[in-house]
Amino acid sequence: ATGDVNRTHVLVLNYTNELPFFRHASSSFLRSGVGGWKLSGITSFFTGTPVNISCGETGYSNAVGRGMQCNTLGSLKIQKGVDMTDTQFGPTPTWFNPALIAQPLLSQYYSNGQAGMFGYMGRNVLTGPGRNDWDIAMLKDFQTPWFKGEHSTVQFRLETFNTFNHPQWQSINAFCGGETPFGAPCSGNDNNYQNGQVSGAWQPRLIQLGMKFIF
């Protein structure tokens, strides 16, 4: 099975670029006040971590004391949608269809080597949400006349995190309620409320200003 911390694809870009605007303007005001800005950033693209869905009827355990896996009732895959029935949060994004997984049968709890022992579904069968994140900063160094012959600058920074402020999901609910009957789907609000829903997100856009004195 895929390791719990596996990320199949990871790409991180670091960059700094001096903007060309007004660098050679005839006006000293434009050249020193408006020109000379730099753009820097860190852009990250990566896939999500594996999602394991474990099952188990309350009050039952198998003979070797290990956890049970669920059964599948169809082609389980990432299936994005919206749950319109959530009475707590209203319409909520979903990551997979919980009606496609089910509690194992009572006969699967026996350590008898039969097909389907401990549940048919493997570990980490789904991949959670990935990320597409842009952290961008604008900065400029202003020369200062202080300290006479010594070089000194004041650096102004405008930094943004999740610059484009698009939603980036981080975690999902993936479980099967312990009161779900043997062989029954792990869906519905009785024992599996909010199963399959997105349950967390990375931070929204943050903006901060900074000033640094360099001498």
Side-chain angles (χ1 to χ4, degrees):
T2 304
D4 293 339
V5 295
N6 177 73
R7 289 191 188 274
T8 306
H9 304 100
V10 177
L11 174 63
V12 180
L13 304 174
N14 297 270
Y15 44 88
T16 300
N17 183 47
E18 186 172 349
L19 301 179
F21 310 113
F22 302 106
R23 289 173 56 187
H24 305 291
S26 57
S27 168
S28 60
F29 171 77
L30 292 177
R31 190 169 58 251
S32 61
V34 183
W37 285 88
K38 295 180 181 179
L39 175 71
S40 68
I42 300 175
T43 299
S44 304
F45 303 95
F46 50 78
T47 52
T49 54
V51 176
N52 184 54
I53 308 173
S54 60
C55 283
E57 182 78 13
T58 299
Y60 290 81
S61 62
N62 57 57
V64 297
R66 58 150 285 172
M68 296 290 292
Q69 296 300 123
C70 303
N71 288 339
T72 52
L73 301 177
S75 179
L76 181 63
K77 58 185 178 180
I78 296 174
Q79 184 178 340
K80 299 179 183 179
V82 178
D83 185 351
M84 304 297 293
T85 65
D86 193 318
T87 58
Q88 181 179 5
F89 298 110
T92 305
T94 57
W95 196 251
F96 67 94
N97 182 3
L100 295 177
I101 60 177
Q103 284 280 22
L105 302 172
L106 177 59
S107 60
Q108 292 176 285
Y109 281 73
Y110 300 114
S111 304
N112 54 12
Q114 298 299 309
M117 183 178 69
F118 304 151
Y120 287 107
M121 192 169 66
R123 292 181 63 253
N124 296 335
V125 294
L126 291 177
T127 300
R131 199 175 188 197
N132 170 5
D133 183 60
W134 297 72
D135 300 332
I136 298 176
M138 295 281 291
L139 57 110
K140 177 174 171 58
D141 293 330
F142 295 89
Q143 302 296 325
T144 66
W146 308 320
F147 301 106
K148 297 183 178 180
E150 296 186 12
H151 179 77
S152 63
T153 59
V154 172
Q155 184 182 86
F156 174 79
R157 304 178 65 91
L158 170 63
E159 300 172 326
T160 60
F161 303 90
N162 187 6
T163 303
F164 302 114
N165 201 34
H166 58 271
Q168 301 179 68
W169 310 134
Q170 187 174 19
S171 57
I172 58 175
N173 292 322
F175 61 91
C176 191
E179 300 299 324
T180 303
F182 295 113
C186 303
S187 59
N189 291 340
D190 290 338
N191 304 302
N192 297 282
Y193 182 54
Q194 299 177 336
N195 188 18
Q197 290 185 3
V198 170
S199 59
W202 295 91
Q203 287 186 326
R205 178 171 54 215
L206 299 175
I207 301 175
Q208 66 183 27
L209 299 175
M211 187 172 290
K212 183 188 297 182
F213 179 53
I214 305 170
F215 63 95

